[in-house]
Amino acid sequence: RTRILLIRNMQAAGVSSLLLCVISMFLLFGGQVRIAQICFAASLAFMIVSLLLSLWEIWISVDALNLHLKGIQEGKEP
């Protein structure tokens, strides 16, 4: 369940990042430079969150795979 929540939140943060990036481009074309800078900074923050969540999920996945492989090596699984 933890991995599912991490993946969901990672994807939500990534999509939010891209959306804010696109909004900042439209704002730049509209001449709203300061607001565009704020949106882009928020976009970068969401991307950092997404990448950190991804790293956490990878860490959990590797641990789960190591446990599974250990069980196979010890003959506990078919």
Side-chain angles (χ1 to χ4, degrees):
R1 291 195 183 272
T2 301
R3 288 178 60 201
I4 292 170
L5 290 174
L6 285 173
I7 291 169
R8 182 196 65 189
N9 293 337
M10 173 188 62
Q11 290 177 342
V15 169
S16 298
S17 172
L18 289 173
L19 184 61
L20 283 171
C21 187
V22 170
I23 289 170
S24 72
M25 285 187 246
F26 278 117
L27 289 168
L28 282 174
F29 285 122
Q32 303 293 322
V33 176
R34 185 66 184 146
I35 298 171
Q37 289 174 336
I38 293 168
C39 279
F40 189 71
S43 170
L44 292 176
F46 274 112
M47 185 55 67
I48 289 169
V49 169
S50 178
L51 291 171
L52 290 173
L53 290 172
S54 177
L55 186 61
W56 188 5
E57 196 277 329
I58 289 168
W59 203 281
I60 291 172
S61 295
V62 169
D63 286 344
L65 284 171
N66 281 334
L67 282 174
H68 184 69
L69 290 173
K70 184 179 177 183
I72 291 172
Q73 287 175 343
E74 293 174 356
K76 293 182 179 177
E77 296 187 29

